[in-house]
Amino acid sequence: MTNYDIIEKLYNEKNLSDEELMQLIQTSEYDKKLFEKADSRRREIYGDEVYLRGLIEFTNYCKNNCYYCGIRRGNSNAVRYRMTKEEILSTCRKGFELGFRTFVLQGGEDPFFTDEKICQIVSEIRSKFPECAITLSIGEKSRDSYRAYFEAGANRYLLRHETASEAHYKKLHPHEMELENRKRCLFDLKEIGYQVGAGFMVGSPFQKAEDIFSDLRFLKKLEPDMIGIGPFISHRDTPFEKYENGSLELTLRLIAILRLLFPYANLPATTALGTIHPQGRELGLKAGANVVMPNLTPVEERKKYLLYDNKICLGEDSAQCRGCVERRAESVGYRVVTSVGNAKRPIEI
Ligand code: 5AD
Ligand code: FES
């Protein structure tokens, strides 16, 4: 089949054979048509609305040592910080006033934040902001921990699987980390009742088209509510310092494929995409993304939450980023809204 026909089929049937999907991942020939189809599917379901998530990077301590990540424990150049519960709450307050109705608490896997501390933070946010979604993004935990956070009031969880291929996973992580456990986490989270987000980096070292293919098939099994993808970007103080960044083109193509495979998923135009190209997030929206996640982290801390080099928004505060993403969305024909922004399921429309 030609790419043209494959895109038509994907649009109409929301799935493809293995050969067709591999071909689409690997060829750019009809990307423009692909983006148009993805945008039309996106508009069918989400209209011109762009959902906002306020990102609070509350700790950059991490016990893990992922080869790609700037806050890995082995990076002794990272200047470490933790926000207090009071700082987190006042950051939420500011975010609420700016129209945010989702708070994403993201951090390294920091043992200082015991389950008890996380539950205290979550339940205070829950009682002060009852109509808001609370998203956690704090890594691999036990099922019991996940359940405790859920009962404290968290309702979404982001945990990118990073790569669904066993061999590739081993090339990105030290031996003590297991893909199997990450997958276990994702299925536990779903079963507990969280809206779950998974995802992967595009163009991470050693990634092949086959690995991306496995990512898409794995996502089909998981059926997440959110799928976050962004280009790999090297960080100077990691073992992957010398590897090339992921490409804008492939990231956009994959956002569009995701929109057509998962019409109802929340798909963010990520900060990493905005970092590799000045209009990366706008292009992401045009390729099918419907979410942006501006940073609410206080400026002093955000300068230290460096997963990769040249991260954007280090000098801007939460109000500036809020205004900035609004203008950016409008510049390409969308509209930022302040609703809580749950993923729509067929039943709701
Ligand atoms: N480049 C791009 N994305 C990265 N992440 C971590 N390190 C990098 C990097 N160097 C992504 C991972 C992680 C998310 C929080 O950020 O996918 O899950
Ligand atoms: Fe932060 Fe544009 S989103 S400055």
Side-chain angles (χ1 to χ4, degrees):
M1 270 215 274
T2 67
N3 262 26
Y4 189 95
D5 297 329
I6 292 177
I7 293 164
E8 281 294 322
K9 179 177 171 190
L10 177 56
Y11 183 75
N12 294 321
E13 300 177 21
K14 307 180 180 72
N15 217 336
L16 291 174
S17 73
D18 293 356
E19 295 68 34
E20 292 157 357
L21 189 53
M22 274 298 280
Q23 184 177 327
L24 198 56
I25 292 168
Q26 289 176 285
T27 45
S28 59
E29 197 186 355
Y30 279 100
D31 275 358
K32 192 162 168 287
K33 176 187 167 71
L34 180 65
F35 301 156
E36 283 166 11
K37 285 294 190 187
D39 185 53
S40 108
R41 181 62 20 95
R42 174 254 206 265
R43 285 177 187 274
E44 222 173 84
I45 292 160
Y46 290 103
D48 61 355
E49 296 191 350
V50 173
Y51 296 150
L52 281 179
R53 318 294 193 210
L55 186 63
I56 305 173
E57 299 155 332
F58 70 97
T59 172
N60 72 349
Y61 282 83
C62 191
K63 68 178 168 69
N64 293 332
N65 218 11
C66 307
Y67 302 141
Y68 46 83
C69 184
I71 63 168
R72 65 201 302 270
R73 71 163 186 271
N75 180 11
S76 52
N77 289 332
V79 182
R80 307 287 171 170
Y81 71 88
R82 294 183 176 109
M83 288 170 65
T84 64
K85 186 175 72 180
E86 289 66 35
E87 286 169 334
I88 297 171
L89 282 160
S90 74
T91 302
C92 291
R93 169 65 52 203
K94 215 177 268 168
F96 188 88
E97 283 159 10
L98 290 168
F100 288 89
R101 294 298 176 268
T102 297
F103 304 118
V104 181
L105 268 58
Q106 186 175 89
E109 291 194 18
D110 180 358
F112 171 86
F113 286 96
T114 56
D115 288 353
E116 197 188 332
K117 289 204 179 84
I118 295 291
C119 288
Q120 273 171 8
I121 294 167
V122 167
S123 66
E124 280 204 38
I125 300 176
R126 174 53 61 231
S127 71
K128 297 209 161 73
F129 306 97
E131 73 271 52
C132 293
I134 303 173
T135 306
L136 291 176
S137 179
I138 55 175
E140 297 177 25
K141 307 279 175 175
S142 72
R143 192 187 172 92
D144 286 346
S145 302
Y146 287 147
R147 197 186 306 277
Y149 312 152
F150 189 76
E151 282 163 10
N155 40 8
R156 299 182 186 149
Y157 204 101
L158 303 183
L159 181 69
R160 290 192 181 173
H161 63 281
E162 312 297 358
T163 173
S165 135
E166 196 68 61
H168 188 219
Y169 195 89
K170 286 285 169 216
K171 294 187 174 165
L172 302 182
H173 303 95
H175 67 273
E176 65 269 17
M177 290 182 73
E178 296 280 354
L179 176 60
E180 204 179 321
N181 191 51
R182 221 163 169 87
K183 290 184 173 172
R184 189 272 305 158
C185 289
L186 285 163
F187 286 102
D188 277 354
L189 288 161
K190 248 195 111 164
E191 240 177 72
I192 292 167
Y194 284 95
Q195 295 171 41
V196 170
F200 57 93
M201 287 176 289
V202 178
S204 58
F206 316 111
Q207 185 184 56
K208 298 189 178 58
E210 288 79 7
D211 301 318
I212 296 172
F213 174 86
S214 329
D215 289 322
L216 301 179
R217 290 303 190 220
F218 167 71
L219 290 166
K220 269 286 173 198
K221 280 192 211 134
L222 180 67
E223 277 192 275
D225 298 275
M226 303 171 258
I227 303 171
I229 68 166
F232 160 76
I233 304 173
S234 68
H235 186 296
R236 67 184 87 243
D237 299 319
T238 64
F240 288 166
E241 144 189 45
K242 297 229 154 58
Y243 286 84
E244 255 183 59
N245 293 345
S247 84
L248 175 73
E249 291 70 25
L250 182 57
T251 307
L252 296 175
R253 190 180 317 139
L254 288 168
I255 290 174
I257 294 174
L258 286 170
R259 172 59 64 209
L260 295 173
L261 285 173
F262 303 91
Y264 295 93
N266 275 324
L267 301 178
T270 57
T271 304
L273 191 54
T275 297
I276 58 160
H277 188 282
Q279 264 80 51
R281 285 168 297 175
E282 292 88 320
L283 294 167
L285 292 173
K286 284 173 48 165
N290 69 316
V291 172
V292 287
M293 304 176 69
N295 207 321
L296 295 181
T297 314
V299 172
E300 271 322 294
E301 282 77 27
R302 74 168 74 182
K303 286 182 191 153
K304 302 174 184 153
Y305 197 86
L306 302 175
L307 307 184
Y308 46 79
D309 288 340
N310 305 316
K311 192 178 168 198
I312 52 172
C313 305
L314 298 186
E316 283 78 10
D317 67 12
S318 53
Q320 288 172 312
C321 287
R322 168 70 170 83
C324 176
V325 296
E326 180 157 345
R327 287 190 299 276
R328 285 173 188 270
E330 280 171 11
S331 76
V332 281
Y334 304 97
R335 193 165 48 92
V336 160
V337 296
T338 59
S339 61
V340 70
N342 289 320
K344 293 192 182 176
R345 289 286 171 187
I347 199 113
E348 293 177 41
I349 56 170

